[in-house]
Amino acid sequence: MHQPDTLQAKRVLKLQSLLGLASVVFALPFGVSVAVSVLVGAGSCLVANALFAALVFRGYRAREPARLVMRIYGAEILKIVLILGLFTIAFVTLDDLNLPVLLGAYLAVQVIPTLIAAQTPERTTK
């Protein structure tokens, strides 16, 4: 489990966690509904990406590309279903969710850490 792709996925998940937490803290002065919307958007993104990474990189075998591609497709479908389910549950159970804030938080947590991880050099030591 110390392959470069696995380490990169862990690093992206860590960055997503930090950005999600920071986003919620920064949203608090704007009210509870905004902070909850950020929490739902960022949390849904993080949970879905963690599931994706766990499914794809568990027992990872780069020598079997066809099987790996099927794992990626299956994990992506499950990720989309999970995101839609979490958003649906949030909108059914929580009042005053702010859709633009929720989607903005989701998009920010999805994109920004990935760009940061792609730009920073990998460490060769732990």
Side-chain angles (χ1 to χ4, degrees), residues 1-124:
M1 188 103 24
H2 293 294
Q3 297 181 8
D5 295 337
T6 304
L7 296 174
Q8 182 78 348
K10 287 179 181 179
R11 193 164 82 171
V12 169
L13 288 172
K14 184 191 290 186
L15 289 169
Q16 287 178 333
S17 299
L18 293 172
L19 180 62
L21 181 61
S23 299
V24 172
V25 170
F26 286 127
L28 284 172
F30 297 100
V32 175
S33 67
V34 172
V36 169
S37 297
V38 169
L39 180 64
V40 170
S44 297
C45 180
L46 181 62
V47 168
N49 286 332
L51 172 69
F52 177 86
L55 292 174
V56 170
F57 294 109
R58 174 190 42 128
Y60 179 73
R61 300 279 186 261
R63 290 181 229 151
E64 302 170 5
R67 193 166 162 195
L68 181 61
V69 168
M70 292 309 298
R71 284 175 95 168
I72 291 171
Y73 285 148
E76 191 64 37
I77 290 169
L78 285 174
K79 177 181 161 182
I80 292 169
V81 169
L82 178 62
I83 292 165
L84 292 175
L86 291 172
F87 283 177
T88 301
I89 291 168
F91 277 104
V92 169
T93 60
L94 300 172
D95 294 332
D96 299 327
L97 279 179
N98 187 323
L99 182 61
V101 170
L102 184 146
L103 294 176
Y106 175 86
L107 184 64
V109 170
Q110 180 68 36
V111 173
I112 293 171
T114 305
L115 292 175
I116 292 170
Q119 298 300 319
T120 55
E122 290 185 39
R123 292 183 288 169
T124 56

